């Protein structure tokens, strides 16, 4: 897979510039800092589709826990995506670049000192840089964890290298 992706990236060296939203999104499940704007968004979607198609033949047949436990409740379309890709989100046509800042945001809890924390109060204390802009510097192959977050990076393709 590394050789195939290296060859693709040599011919398609696109790494986008992204602008983050000026506020956070709380779904009452997770808190996200979502990308508001992507330069050449159509190109990013095409780039993403190509990479997914190259990588999908190398994926593990073992499903992530949150996918296998939800199979019975998935729509036919979602089950087809699981069959083809192992997941049903973050796929071509469903790209949603973001940074997950907090899981289970709809549940207030005690902190490590056993002091009750209101998640809504906590959200108000998280500062984000308005319209923060950055350019991606690398593309990585990684292992996804329980919540779909990257837990381990196996290989990184750096810009220009």
């Amino acid at each position: 897979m590394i050789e195939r992706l290296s060859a693709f990236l040599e011919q398609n060296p696109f790494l986008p510039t992204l602008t983050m939203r000026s506020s956070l999104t709380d779904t009452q499940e997770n808190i996200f800092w979502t990308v508001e704007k992507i330069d050449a968004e159509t190109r990013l979607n095409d780039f993403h589709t190509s990479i997914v198609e190259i990588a999908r033949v190398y994926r593990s047949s073992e499903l992530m826990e949150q996918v296998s436990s939800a199979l019975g409740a998935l729509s036919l379309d979602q089950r087809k995506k699981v069959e083809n890709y192992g997941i049903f989100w973050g796929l071509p046509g469903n790209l949603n670049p973001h940074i997950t800042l907090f899981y289970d945001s709809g549940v207030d809890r005690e902190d490590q000192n056993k002091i009750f924390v209101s998640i809504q109060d906590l959200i108000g204390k998280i500062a984000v840089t308005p319209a923060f802009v950055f350019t991606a510097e690398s593309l990585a192959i990684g292992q996804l964890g329980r919540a779909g977050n990257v837990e381990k990076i196996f290989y990184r393709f750096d810009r220009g290298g």
Side-chain angles (χ1 to χ4, degrees):
M1 178 169 65
I2 291 170
E3 290 175 6
R4 287 191 64 204
L5 284 172
S6 290
F8 172 77
L9 293 172
E10 278 183 34
Q11 296 174 355
N12 303 277
F14 176 69
L15 288 173
T17 297
L18 307 125
T19 303
M20 303 302 290
R21 292 187 69 194
S22 297
S23 61
L24 302 176
T25 301
D26 181 4
T27 66
Q28 290 297 297
E29 291 180 8
N30 300 309
I31 297 173
F32 300 113
W33 191 14
T34 306
V35 171
E36 182 173 319
K37 180 181 162 204
I38 305 166
D39 70 322
E41 188 161 353
T42 301
R43 187 161 177 219
L44 177 61
N45 285 319
D46 293 344
F47 184 76
H48 178 251
T49 298
S50 296
I51 289 172
V52 167
E53 290 304 320
I54 290 168
R56 78 181 184 123
V57 298
Y58 299 101
R59 74 171 177 83
S60 169
S61 60
E62 183 179 333
L63 296 177
M64 295 168 55
E65 178 189 335
Q66 69 270 39
V67 174
S68 61
S69 65
L71 276 177
L74 298 181
S75 69
L76 184 59
D77 180 58
Q78 288 172 322
R79 280 183 279 176
K80 186 70 171 168
K81 287 177 180 174
V82 169
E83 182 181 314
N84 288 328
Y85 303 102
I87 58 174
F88 56 90
W89 66 89
L91 297 170
N94 187 22
L95 188 59
N96 179 25
H98 66 276
I99 299 169
T100 305
L101 299 176
F102 203 95
Y103 296 109
D104 300 324
S105 61
V107 180
D108 292 337
R109 62 194 67 155
E110 292 180 347
D111 68 10
Q112 67 270 16
N113 298 316
K114 303 291 183 190
I115 297 171
F116 183 77
V117 177
S118 163
I119 302 306
Q120 287 303 312
D121 289 346
L122 179 64
I123 293 167
K125 294 177 184 175
I126 300 172
V128 295
T129 304
F132 178 71
V133 177
F134 68 96
T135 300
E137 291 295 324
S138 61
L139 177 76
I141 298 171
Q143 176 179 320
L144 295 182
R146 165 77 176 88
N149 52 313
V150 178
E151 290 188 338
K152 182 177 181 181
I153 294 186
F154 297 119
Y155 192 85
R156 174 171 288 152
F157 301 91
D158 291 318
R159 180 185 288 277

